[in-house]
Amino acid sequence: MIITERGAGCQRRPARDGMADEKLPTRKEDFSEWYNQLVLRAQLADYAPVRGCMIVRPYGWALWENIQGALDRRFKATGHQNVAFPLLIPKSFIEKEKHHVEGFSPELAVVTIGGGEELAEPLILRPTSETIIGHMWSKWIQSYRDLPVLMNQWNSVVRWELRTKLFLRTLEFYWQEGHTAHATREEAAEETRQMLEVYTDFAVNEAAIPVIPGAKSEAEKFAGADITYSIEAMMGDGKALQAGTSHFLGQNFAQAFDVKYLDQNGALQHCWTTSWGLSTRFIGAIIMVHGDDQGLVLPPRLAPIQAVIVPIYKNDEEKSSVLKAAKELKAQLAKAEIRVHLDEREGFSPGWKFNDWEMRGVPVRVELGPKDVAKQAAMLARRDRPGKEGKVSASLADLPTAIGKLLEEIHQSLHDRALAFRRANTQAAASYDEFKQAVENGFAFAPWCGSGECEAKIKEETRATMRCIPLDQAAVLGREIASGGACVYCGKAAKDRAVFGRAY
RNA sequence: CGGGGCGUAGCGCAGCCUGGUAGCGCGCCUGCCUUGGGCGCAGGAGGCCCCCGGUUCAAAUCCGGGCGCCCCGACCA
């Protein structure tokens, strides 16, 4: 996708909307306020007139579209097809699965009037679509020959949250929900793990975000699931964010909605189902993992604009020669499949534009002035190293290759930096004292007996929740940690280590 | 729902205690000048002071009642 300048009929100078004069609060000073202001000033999103709702602005949506593209490719490659189920679901559906209704009742939005008339049965705005999909599957699935069913939908869902924050938790949010039905437990379990791997691969290779894939505790799992897996990431303030989930639903929904098939022996069987989702919350993860005190830092493979050209000139003569060179450069970069934007805005100083594009997280900036044009070169600045330090001169002819390489380098360095940060702020805690210390500003990786009582006590006393039992225990800290040991809370034997942390 | 903060120009705020012409910075518009890290000068536009009621000759300001938003907790992708 190429971002082009707006059409000729629309050359009005854009407002300095969002780019206030002052700097952002630093992350150290006030991480939460840093985040809020960054989202607004980078023009990713804005507050809607309804409390807890969000408007995703063009730049934020372009980022989401790139996330969608990267995921959708992976879903298709693993055999899934996209579908669209309705927003409105009969309220009775949600009540059919016991745990599901317990989990979701408190946060349902209910429609009771339609066309001015009280409805015979209230409708809910979908908080997720397991129920209505289960209902339809019971009609569509009859034989083992109909299986597996591999579906995904891109939509928005509504959950009436008490406390909201842009991207991280809003009443309505955008996501994808995948739903699959299988003949056997093994096949469904395999699908659940496969999609967790897809999310992990996406996070690492597209967003440059290192994640810990693992299993959730009973208390933290999805309402209605037998097993919930998630990918957990560490934000810049040391807190955890669940960045994607994959659920093994067993036969819970198949039984509640009568999703059955005849197997090869003529026996009637319930299906085994899965669901998995990743939401616009992931944008919050990108902001909080990579962002710095200058603003947003976007991972190159997802950035709506990968390289921005800022032309520099003093007079009309310089302007025409610089712009001519800039346009040629832009065409060259576009040809090399770099998403490039030429900032031709009048009345803004180059210095102002530098700050503006840094706020908006563009990975690479190309500065092109008369001196550069004279020697057929340009200054290259990389966003992950802000200020004058990260600048180098490069010849125009080399730029398409050089920028391509630089983008890859930035991706790698963002990932490595985030991984090093996470490891530096994760402590393998053996005692409860060490544990408490660790979750003050990061993760504790600690032996846990698996009981809900210990988990609840820990949460009550430290505000830290169980994030997951990592599937790959050695990857958490990048070295083998002895398994087993005594539960960090009760001292009983622990089978695995679990990651604990304060979470968003 | 508990605790805290705040509603005055597009944004950020002052004014309120002690009632009397509604102000400042940024942004916006016009022109000139500038442009290699957030240029400058001059002129200009822009207000249901959150809403409703009360006190008063007079309310942004005092009193009563609402509503909304943000932050911190309990619940959650």
Side-chain angles (χ1 to χ4, degrees):
Chain A
M1 186 197 64
I2 310 291
I3 298 276
T4 55
E5 66 267 84
R6 73 203 89 225
C10 192
Q11 287 294 334
R12 194 184 76 83
R13 182 166 110 172
R16 294 184 198 216
D17 173 23
M19 259 301 288
D21 53 328
E22 330 108 68
K23 290 191 161 176
L24 286 172
T26 65
R27 288 176 305 161
K28 218 176 153 184
E29 254 164 39
D30 189 343
F31 195 83
S32 177
E33 194 48 32
W34 167 83
Y35 177 88
N36 288 338
Q37 291 195 23
L38 174 48
V39 170
L40 298 176
R41 291 209 218 159
Q43 296 175 35
L44 293 171
D46 204 346
Y47 294 101
V50 174
R51 178 198 73 88
C53 291
M54 161 177 75
I55 288 147
V56 182
R57 301 185 64 176
Y59 194 55
W61 194 258
L63 177 58
W64 180 237
E65 283 178 341
N66 288 345
I67 292 171
Q68 287 183 306
L71 284 172
D72 208 62
R73 278 198 297 281
R74 287 166 168 80
F75 298 158
K76 302 275 170 60
T78 43
H80 303 84
Q81 291 179 306
N82 284 336
V83 294
F85 277 75
L87 167 68
L88 296 170
I89 298 178
K91 186 155 179 279
S92 58
F93 278 26
I94 209 88
E95 285 150 10
K96 291 191 181 184
E97 209 287 333
K98 189 169 148 273
H99 296 102
H100 199 60
V101 62
E102 281 169 12
F104 280 108
S105 296
E107 48 188 51
L108 291 180
V110 184
V111 179
T112 57
I113 295 174
E117 299 282 320
E118 185 92 10
L119 298 174
E121 182 184 351
L123 302 171
I124 58 164
L125 301 182
R126 64 178 166 219
T128 178
S129 303
E130 276 77 2
T131 59
I132 193 166
I133 288 175
H135 175 85
M136 296 311 294
W137 278 351
S138 73
K139 294 175 142 184
W140 297 338
I141 298 172
Q142 325 223 344
S143 152
Y144 70 91
R145 294 179 207 275
D146 297 326
L147 297 171
V149 173
L150 306 173
M151 307 189 325
N152 174 64
Q153 68 173 338
W154 293 97
N155 61 10
S156 70
V157 289
V158 173
R159 298 179 187 179
W160 214 263
E161 301 290 349
L162 300 177
R163 208 177 130 205
T164 59
K165 198 173 175 79
L166 292 172
F167 288 117
L168 298 179
R169 196 178 300 104
T170 48
L171 297 200
E172 180 188 16
F173 62 88
Y174 300 88
W175 75 343
Q176 56 69 216
E177 45 176 327
H179 295 271
T180 67
H182 307 263
T184 66
R185 165 190 281 276
E186 293 67 38
E187 202 184 303
E190 172 54 32
E191 166 79 6
T192 311
R193 297 282 275 267
Q194 174 187 253
M195 298 323 287
L196 185 72
E197 270 168 43
V198 163
Y199 288 150
T200 304
D201 176 63
F202 161 78
V204 171
N205 293 312
E206 303 285 349
I209 295 179
V211 292
I212 303 173
K216 286 291 195 182
S217 67
E218 285 299 303
E220 298 282 333
K221 73 183 190 186
F222 174 74
D226 278 359
I227 307 172
T228 287
Y229 297 99
S230 71
I231 51 173
E232 298 286 328
M234 182 185 283
M235 305 297 103
D237 60 352
K239 284 168 82 173
L241 185 81
Q242 177 173 311
T245 49
S246 184
H247 314 293
F248 173 72
L249 303 175
Q251 293 179 314
N252 302 336
F253 286 90
Q255 279 166 3
F257 289 90
D258 220 26
V259 186
K260 289 184 288 203
Y261 71 96
L262 266 181
D263 70 14
Q264 290 162 75
N265 306 314
L268 202 54
Q269 306 268 10
H270 281 110
C271 288
W272 299 82
T273 67
T274 81
S275 68
W276 26 276
L278 185 146
S279 74
T280 36
R281 165 179 268 196
F282 199 90
I283 292 177
I286 290 173
I287 297 167
M288 291 192 289
V289 168
H290 299 311
D292 64 19
D293 290 343
Q294 323 301 320
L296 191 59
V297 177
L298 290 176
R301 291 175 196 164
L302 295 177
I305 299 171
Q306 295 175 308
V308 63
I309 304 170
V310 177
I312 297 158
Y313 46 79
K314 288 206 238 318
N315 48 46
D316 282 352
E317 193 188 327
E318 283 182 3
K319 179 179 170 182
S320 77
S321 78
V322 166
L323 278 184
K324 182 162 170 284
K327 281 175 182 164
E328 279 165 20
L329 175 61
K330 180 181 164 185
Q332 288 303 310
L333 295 179
K335 219 168 106 187
E337 302 208 313
I338 291 163
R339 296 189 288 269
V340 60
H341 174 73
L342 171 58
D343 187 354
E344 294 189 72
R345 288 177 294 179
E346 301 277 351
F348 294 84
S349 71
W352 191 90
K353 289 179 179 177
F354 296 167
N355 285 285
D356 188 36
W357 292 112
E358 275 171 12
M359 179 69 77
R360 304 188 76 184
V362 174
V364 173
R365 184 179 65 239
V366 182
E367 304 171 13
L368 191 62
K371 294 176 213 162
D372 304 299
V373 175
K375 56 180 183 186
Q376 285 294 291
M379 292 300 289
L380 266 187
R382 50 190 290 182
R383 178 61 182 86
D384 60 334
R385 302 210 186 127
K388 287 172 185 169
E389 302 75 41
K391 290 194 195 182
V392 289
S393 180
S395 88
L396 287 182
D398 293 343
L399 275 186
T401 323
I403 291 177
K405 265 199 339 227
L406 187 54
L407 289 171
E408 289 311 301
E409 228 178 282
I410 293 171
H411 171 88
Q412 196 57 46
S413 112
L414 288 178
H415 172 270
D416 294 350
R417 186 161 75 184
L419 182 60
F421 178 84
R422 190 192 81 202
R423 286 181 174 162
N425 290 288
T426 301
Q427 310 302 328
S431 71
Y432 195 42
D433 277 345
E434 283 174 21
F435 182 100
K436 283 189 275 195
Q437 168 104 53
V439 298
E440 278 302 314
N441 38 33
F443 292 170
F445 186 37
W448 172 51
C449 66
S451 92
E453 290 88 73
C454 287
E455 186 185 359
K457 280 289 184 191
I458 287 171
K459 184 176 176 184
E460 195 184 310
E461 292 169 20
T462 69
R463 279 165 49 220
T465 51
M466 189 276 191
R467 304 316 306 158
C468 68
I469 296 175
L471 297 179
D472 181 351
Q473 299 251 319
V476 175
L477 285 163
R479 57 189 157 88
E480 286 295 339
I481 304 283
S483 57
C487 172
V488 79
Y489 193 80
C490 68
K492 286 189 204 140
K495 205 169 98 234
D496 295 298
R497 277 174 185 264
V499 170
F500 289 82
R502 293 181 185 149
Y504 279 98

